[in-house]
Amino acid sequence: MPIAIRIPGAVVGLVSALAYHGLTTQVPHAVNIAHAQVPKVDSVPLRVFWYPESSFRAGVDLIEIDDVPVKICSPEKTIADCFKYRNRIGLDIAIEALRAYRERTRKPNRAALTKFAQINRVQKVMRPYLEAVL
């Protein structure tokens, strides 16, 4: 993943992370990243999202893709982030991700979803969807 090499501080999130975790039918047309500044990368379409420090650091996993370490949001953090940025990416994507998470996860981690919803301050938005879907 060239983004992880060119922007080592970036965290892959939102639709890009959903696609990695198999939680969406969407095809990301740009790499969605969280970063503190707008990086300049030629030939790679990027969508940069801004997070408060507490949210930026929470729920980040380190994986390897083609022997390159990549920071990516966990499935639960990604779902909470989708609800946070629902006006930019679409509420339908957040709901689809939550449903796919329930179907693909043997034991959905409601506590983690609630924790990341609180960090992102979207617990009131997510609560009815968690109750209906989980």
Side-chain angles (χ1 to χ4, degrees), residues 102 110 127-134:
R102 181 201 63 216
R110 187 181 177 110
R127 184 176 300 127
Y129 297 102
L130 290 174
E131 290 172 359
V133 173
L134 297 183

Side-chain angles (χ1 to χ4, degrees), residues 116-134:
F116 294 123
Q118 288 173 339
I119 290 171
N120 284 343
R121 295 194 269 174
V122 291
Q123 62 268 30
K124 288 183 181 178
V125 173
M126 283 183 65
R127 184 176 300 127
Y129 297 102
L130 290 174
E131 290 172 359
V133 173
L134 297 183

